[in-house]
Every structure is written in structure tokens, then in C-alpha cells.
Amino acid sequence: MQNEWLYIGLFLVVGLIIPTAAITISRIVAPRKPNPIKQSTYECGMETVGDNWVQFKAQYYIFALVFLIFDVETVFLFPWAVALDKLALFAVLEGILFILILVAGLAYIWRKGALEWV
Amino acid sequence: MTLWNNPTNFIADWLRGVFSGWGMAEGLAVILVTLIGIVVMASLVMLLDIFLVWVERKVVARFQDRLGPNRVGPFGLIQPFADIIKLIIKEDITPDGADKVVYNLAPLLSLMSVIILWAIIPLAPVIFGVDLNVGALYLIAAGAIGTLSIIMAGWSSNNKYALIGAFRQVAAMVSYEIPMVVALLIPTILAGTMGMKGIVDAQSIWFVILSPLGALIFLISAIAELGRTPFDLNEAESEIVAGFHIEYTGMKFGLFYAGELLHAFTFGTFLGILFFGGWNGPLPWGGQYPLIGALNVVIKGLFFYWVIMWIKYTLMRIRIDHMLAFNWKFLTPVAFVLLMVTALMDKLLAGTAPWIYGMGMFLANILVGWLALEAARAYARRQRLAKEALAQPATQAAHH
Amino acid sequence: MTALQVLFILSAAVILGSALMVVTVRNLIHAALWLIVTLFGVAVLYAMLNASFLALVQVVVYIGAIAILFIFAVMLTRKEMRDRGPQLNKTWWLAGIIGLLTFGGLAWLLNNWSGFWKTAGVIPAGADTMRDLGVALVSPNAYVLPFEVASVLLLAALIGAVYLAFNRK
């Protein structure tokens, strides 16, 4: 099995080298004449107005949080799914119980209104 | 093992023999041959990527009732090379205040996260990179690296539109990963393994017939993961100018663009492998002759890439709040219900004749899909009636 | 020195180096990115131990969800993200001594544990570790109770997080 991960590691290295090669070719060939106007930040063709940091909506954080919980849940479900055909009906019911508990959580936060975007 | 039965291993053995004949140590020869194989695979993938640029432009042109590139070379086939040359010779402008290391690393990670997916795609029973027995999770892991590269790109550009675009894109991608993982669990249950080769081997009946709703959920969440219309808040030109890659010029932008097209094709190939039989495709004897099997997989990949493009050039863009509401309030519950129903039916119908099994699963899927649509319809009707009830007293007051 | 040992030393160096960078860089987002390098190094360690599932779960959950949550949380605070104060406080020597003592104590404890010196058991070829894990998770005489309790724990985490983070205006 170590051979598999060695292969994937080599693939990762080659996968990093290819875009690096593309950018290096571009760096050699392309002109380079920086001036402050070219390097200024783009804001639909005008000078930038206001601060450069936006007030980040807290809602993004809630979505990332809910995603984290459900991600961990699906990670638990993977071994269950692989072993399903060797197990009895009872195991299916256990898995269904697992999923139902978390769907109940989703329903709760839906009712609370935490999934609205406003 | 002949050249036709097992081309890649045959060539690898021959090369190993050549290297050992030159006096190289055994282990080093193996690593060198593996490296050559990887470089060949990655180069083929990049060549395919270049071809996909041409396919994209021709197909969008046909959908929009025009011709597309047809001047540069026969049927415009040299057009992508002209595009690449143009992108390479463009000046590389780094905005001031940008974080140099992160800014340069983001496009590299974005393309790398797509290329490494090709390590686990089995083109034929004997042509594959590795047969990882956790292949389905590997797909999600590569997506996680892609998500990271988007945040890095958006943050390091020092531009508030890039930041807004990156946040929205990441929020959408991350939300749609849940239905995608659940849709990946369904072939896992049906095949009993997470490895790609195992899933294709278990498809005596294609999984799209056993679970059409699962294939549909996978397709929808894949389109959202890719960031294509109808979910392309990132490239919403009229809204936030180009999302997280506003400040990228030249080849770096080219890497993002090429990465997105290659990602779309890779997801098309995965849809073909997971739900549509892999190498047992339209052409017969895909299992015996690996080259025909590889051709089957590529044909299916191109067909589903065309389907993804068809959806892109037909539908309108969906607003971010509608998109997230659709995911968390419709797609995720439906996906979980489908998962539970699939697990239950798989256990209840185990050991029956294949056609009973197939019919049972198919009907269960149709039932779940119909119930989901009915629930959505009832919800929409409730909302419409509530809105009409609100409008009623106003009109009655106006009459008095 | 086998190739595996060289690889282990390399990845351990990467993990320790990037962990050091996490606590010493001044820019918070850079600290989050160095943390991602550390987590990736741990995933490489899992892969070297033949735990493919855990390696991928490390990438999916830690890098794909928790690191992104960290970055979102850092960006949620609208203040200047650059740490202006000094990196060390007055009693850094005491912290260093306590750290060294803890490390020495742990090393001595591990040395005296018999399991530390055993070589890993060979997994028989053809054993489907994922299937065994799945069977273990739902068998009544294995881990089914922790499995279900884990889902209740996740439910508690979900409700608690939404309660803390969500502000109904």
C-alpha cells in the first residue's frame, strides 16, 4: 500500500511542476514594465473608494460551521456504507438512526432561521 | 501480457528491462519508469485540457447560433494554441499590496488539485494510476485543496471584489460538498467498496438505472463545485467583475481558466465511472481490450462535459441566497433521505433476482424524487397563498 | 537508513518547522496557512502508516473544513490582522523550561511503554480494512455505542455553535 501513496506523492509533485513550468515560461518571455497605475487595485475602472477590507458577513461563518458538522458526519458514514452488504438489517437501522439524529439537527437550525442569508 | 491486453504494463516492463540492461539499480528503475508514466499521463491530461478550450468555444458558439473559431487552422483547431501563446506573452502584473507568496501559490494549487485527480481514474481494468481503495474520499480531498486555493487567491489580491467573490464562491462550494459526498455514498453502498475500479466492476446494471436521483444529485452538486452556471457567482461579470481572479493576468489567469475546464471534464469522467458503467460503454469489449475501454471512458467524459456545457449555456445565474437555500433546504435533506432509502432497499432486496432489485431501487428513487418535488410544490403554494392573502386586504381597502 | 525513515524524518521536520512558524509569524492568515502545511504533513504521516482512510479524512475534515473555518474566523474580526506586539513576553525562559521538562517526561514515559518498541503488525494481503472498520463501527459488541453517541455529540456541537454564532436581530 505504500507504493500507492508514493505514486500519489509523485503525481502531486508532477502536478505542481507543470503549472510552475507554465508560469516560468511566461516569466521569461513576457515583458515586465511595472508602473503604479498598472499595479493599482481594480475597482471597475475608477480609483478605489473607501477601505480595502469589507465587513465580512457573519453568515459565512455559520455556513462553514454547519458544513463542518455534516462533513464529519459523512466521514463516519463512509465505513458504514462500505460494510453494508456484509451486515444484517440491524446495522442499516443503526446507520439510519445516526443520519436521523443529524437531520433533526438540520431541521432545528432551519427553524431557528440560521440558514437564511439576510 | 501482450501489448493489446495490457499496454501500459507491457511498456513499463520493457522500459524497466532497458534500464536494467543499462546497469541501473532495480529500485531506481522502477521509480524512473513510474515517473515516466506519471509525466506521460499528466501531459496527456494537459493536452486534453488544451483541446477542451476548443471544444468549449465551438460548443458555446453552436448553442448561440454562430460558428465559433474557424479561421486559425482547420475548423479552428489551432485556436487554443494561439490562446496559450497570447497568455504567455502577456505581462504579469502583480497588484501592489498583494501578498506575493500566497498570490503566486494560488493558481499552482488550483491546477494541481485537478491534475492529481487523474491518479485514481481507471481508464480500463488495467490502465490506471493507483487503485486506491478510498477513491471516493480522494475526490473530496482534492476538492478541499481547490477550495483552499480559491480563498488564497481572493485574499491575497488585496481587492475587495476579489475577497467578496472568493467568500461567496467558497461558501457555495463548501455547502454543495455535502450533497456530493452523500451522492458518492450511494455507489459505495451499491458496490460495497470506495475504490473506483471496484465501483465499475460492480456495475453489471449501470448505477444510473439503480439510482437516477443519486446521479442527478451528483451532477447538480458537481456543477456547483465547479463554479459554472447556474452557480457561477465567481464569474458574475455583471455583479462582481470576475470574482476571485480579477487581479490575475496572463498565464496565471490561464491556469485558473484551464483548471476550471479540466475540472469540468474530470467531473464528467467521474460521473461516467460512478454511475454510467465506466469502461463498459457504448463500444463493446471494453473490458477485454483496454484501449477500447479507455476510449469508452473518454467518450463518456466528453459527453457529460457537453451536458455540463449545455446546462451552462441554457440556464440563468442563481442568486447566492437562493443557491444556498436550495442546497441546505432541498438538496441536502433529499440526499439524506435518498441515502437512507437506498440503504434500506439494498438490504431488503438483497438476494433477489437482478431485475427485481433493479426495479425496486429505481421505483424507490422515483418515489423519493416525486415526494421531494411535491414537498417543494406545497411549500411554494403556501408561500404564494400567504403573499396573496397579504395583498388581498390592501385591494379591498382600496375599493372602499 | 531506509527510504521510509528518510521520508519520516523529512515529514517530521516539515511538521515541526511549520508548527513553529504558526506561532511565530505576525500575520494571522499566514499563521493559518502554515497550520495547513502542518496538517498536510500529518496526513503524509498517516499515509506512510498505510492508514489511507485516515490520511484522506485528515485532508477532508482538517484542511477542507477546519482550516477554512479558521480563515473565516480570522477574517470575521475586522481589526488589523497584523500582530504589533512583541512575540515573546517576560517569562519566556520559564515556558521554555516547562516545555523541555514536558518533552523529557513524555519521552521517558514512551520509552518505558512496551508498545513503543514493537514493530507494526503486518496487515494480511487482501484484508479489506475499510470493511473491517465499517463492521466494527456498527457491531453491537464493538463500537456501535460510541458511533451513536458521536452523532449525539455532533448534534450538540451543531446546536451549540449555532446558538453561539447566530444573532437573531
Side-chain angles (χ1 to χ4, degrees):
Chain A
M1 220 189 290
Q2 268 143 4
N3 241 347
E4 293 179 346
W5 285 102
L6 195 64
Y7 187 90
I8 291 184
L10 280 176
F11 220 101
L12 227 124
V13 169
V14 170
L16 265 179
I17 288 181
I18 292 182
T20 314
I23 292 192
T24 317
I25 296 178
S26 168
R27 194 157 286 206
I28 298 174
V29 168
R32 181 177 294 234
K33 304 187 177 57
N35 67 42
I37 307 267
K38 255 199 271 191
Q39 286 181 328
S40 56
T41 316
Y42 182 70
E43 182 161 331
C44 298
M46 5 177 272
E47 295 287 324
T48 57
V49 173
D51 224 347
N52 233 353
W53 295 109
V54 283
Q55 180 51 45
F56 187 3
K57 278 171 83 76
Q59 201 59 26
Y60 288 108
Y61 190 75
I62 303 226
F63 280 116
L65 214 55
V66 175
F67 160 68
L68 172 62
I69 303 284
F70 279 94
D71 208 18
V72 177
E73 173 196 350
T74 52
V75 155
F76 269 107
L77 285 176
F78 266 108
W80 171 76
V82 169
L84 207 56
D85 54 352
K86 235 209 233 167
L87 297 166
L89 186 62
F90 181 59
V92 175
L93 294 178
E94 282 170 0
I96 290 184
L97 178 64
F98 185 89
I99 298 176
L100 277 177
I101 293 181
L102 281 155
V103 169
L106 181 67
Y108 169 78
I109 62 175
W110 183 348
R111 286 297 298 240
K112 269 285 176 182
L115 295 176
E116 304 295 324
W117 183 253
V118 278
Chain B
M1 146 164 61
T2 68
L3 188 60
W4 291 120
N5 271 349
N6 203 340
T8 49
N9 284 352
F10 184 77
I11 299 180
D13 271 349
W14 174 75
L15 270 177
R16 244 197 314 261
V18 165
F19 286 140
S20 304
W22 289 350
M24 216 185 275
E26 183 65 35
L28 198 58
V30 167
I31 292 187
L32 198 59
V33 167
T34 315
L35 201 60
I36 291 179
I38 294 178
V39 169
V40 164
M41 179 83 174
S43 315
L44 279 176
V45 161
M46 291 309 292
L47 212 61
L48 188 65
D49 195 7
I50 296 173
F51 174 63
L52 285 176
V53 174
W54 176 82
V55 168
E56 171 106 15
R57 289 177 68 161
K58 271 295 198 190
V59 167
V60 61
R62 292 296 168 154
F63 274 121
Q64 294 170 349
D65 203 16
R66 53 186 174 90
L67 283 178
N70 59 354
R71 297 218 173 264
V72 193
F75 297 111
L77 276 169
I78 320 272
Q79 179 74 41
F81 293 102
D83 280 341
I84 292 178
I85 296 178
K86 175 195 79 164
L87 282 174
I88 288 185
I89 63 179
K90 290 264 182 206
E91 179 180 349
D92 193 5
I93 305 175
T94 308
D96 54 354
D99 196 339
K100 289 271 169 26
V101 175
V102 179
Y103 180 79
N104 286 327
L105 203 53
L108 302 181
L109 280 185
S110 169
L111 190 58
M112 180 198 85
S113 72
V114 181
I115 292 183
I116 58 172
L117 277 176
W118 283 86
I120 62 160
I121 291 187
L123 294 174
V126 290
I127 303 183
F128 52 86
V130 283
D131 182 26
L132 206 55
N133 69 336
V134 287
L137 208 52
Y138 185 83
L139 183 56
I140 310 290
I145 300 184
T147 309
L148 195 65
S149 77
I150 293 183
I151 279 206
M152 282 167 60
W155 174 77
S156 66
S157 299
N158 198 25
N159 182 336
K160 47 175 164 299
Y161 293 109
L163 204 58
I164 297 180
F167 285 163
R168 279 200 208 171
Q169 176 79 0
V170 165
M173 275 174 81
V174 132
S175 301
Y176 277 88
E177 259 181 44
I178 302 292
M180 182 149 90
V181 173
V182 176
L184 278 174
L185 275 171
I186 292 179
T188 307
I189 290 183
L190 294 175
T193 170
M194 276 172 22
M196 292 290 145
K197 206 155 100 67
I199 291 182
V200 176
D201 280 335
Q203 290 193 41
S204 46
I205 316 176
W206 285 5
F207 284 164
V208 67
I209 300 180
L210 291 183
S211 179
L213 195 57
L216 192 62
I217 293 180
F218 183 74
L219 183 63
I220 296 179
S221 15
I223 296 181
E225 279 285 311
L226 293 168
R228 291 178 87 94
T229 326
F231 302 113
D232 69 342
L233 312 138
N234 170 46
E235 291 168 323
E237 279 99 7
S238 48
E239 287 183 33
I240 43 177
V241 193
F244 63 87
H245 44 65
I246 300 176
E247 297 282 1
Y248 280 94
T249 57
M251 202 57 204
K252 294 191 189 131
F253 170 74
L255 288 180
F256 274 121
Y257 184 65
E260 178 185 325
L261 293 183
L262 188 60
H263 207 181
F265 179 73
T266 311
F267 266 122
T269 315
F270 269 113
L271 187 62
I273 288 179
L274 288 169
F275 287 98
F276 282 86
W279 56 73
N280 306 319
L283 301 175
W285 304 310
Q288 282 96 330
Y289 295 107
L291 291 174
I292 298 185
L295 201 61
N296 275 340
V297 169
V298 171
I299 287 178
K300 281 184 192 156
L302 280 174
F303 176 69
F304 290 116
Y305 180 61
W306 178 79
V307 166
I308 292 179
M309 273 198 290
W310 183 16
I311 297 178
K312 170 171 178 159
Y313 292 115
T314 316
L315 295 180
M316 306 170 294
R317 185 177 303 136
I318 299 186
R319 228 167 60 180
I320 175 85
D321 53 340
H322 290 167
M323 198 171 139
L324 290 171
F326 175 68
N327 178 53
W328 289 111
K329 299 184 185 173
F330 186 73
L331 211 56
T332 306
V334 168
F336 276 123
V337 166
L338 181 66
L339 180 67
M340 293 193 276
V341 164
T342 307
L344 208 57
M345 298 295 287
D346 183 58
K347 203 34 90 166
L348 289 176
L349 292 176
T352 56
W355 69 271
I356 299 182
Y357 185 77
M359 279 291 267
M361 297 289 273
F362 184 71
L363 288 175
N365 266 273
I366 301 289
L367 186 67
V368 170
W370 180 77
L371 281 175
L373 281 177
E374 277 304 308
R377 214 172 288 160
Y379 180 71
R381 185 179 2 214
R382 256 208 316 267
Q383 280 206 319
R384 185 170 39 109
L385 289 178
K387 203 175 295 196
E388 280 172 12
L390 272 179
Q392 276 283 4
T395 52
Q396 282 189 347
H399 278 282
H400 289 301
Chain C
M1 194 90 84
T2 70
L4 206 58
Q5 286 179 326
V6 169
L7 206 55
F8 169 72
I9 290 183
L10 216 64
S11 36
V14 163
I15 293 176
L16 290 174
S18 52
L20 196 63
M21 295 298 285
V22 169
V23 294
T24 51
V25 289
R26 293 183 172 272
N27 190 336
L28 275 179
I29 297 279
H30 283 176
L33 293 176
W34 281 116
L35 184 67
I36 290 176
V37 176
T38 312
L39 296 170
F40 191 73
V42 176
V44 168
L45 275 184
Y46 279 135
M48 283 198 297
L49 289 171
N50 288 336
S52 324
F53 182 61
L54 278 182
L56 287 175
V57 165
Q58 174 86 2
V59 174
V60 169
V61 171
Y62 260 112
I63 298 182
I66 293 186
I68 300 220
L69 201 64
F70 279 1
I71 294 180
F72 275 16
V74 167
M75 289 181 182
L76 195 53
T77 62
R78 200 186 178 278
K79 55 199 269 300
E80 185 67 38
M81 280 191 280
R82 226 173 157 68
D83 182 20
R84 274 185 240 265
Q87 293 291 80
L88 302 170
N89 65 6
K90 279 198 304 236
T91 53
W92 62 272
W93 52 272
L94 188 60
I97 291 180
I98 293 182
L100 277 175
L101 280 177
T102 314
F103 175 66
L106 277 174
W108 178 80
L109 265 174
L110 275 177
N111 203 8
N112 286 346
W113 174 50
S114 64
F116 189 57
W117 293 103
K118 269 198 281 215
T119 50
V122 173
I123 300 175
D128 194 351
T129 49
M130 280 295 295
R131 184 162 295 216
D132 293 338
L133 180 63
V135 169
L137 270 180
V138 287
S139 323
N141 52 354
Y143 295 101
V144 69
L145 197 55
F147 182 61
E148 301 295 341
V149 167
S151 92
V152 175
L153 180 67
L154 286 171
L155 178 68
L158 183 61
I159 296 181
V162 166
Y163 177 74
L164 282 178
F166 182 59
N167 239 339
R168 183 182 278 283
K169 308 244 192 311

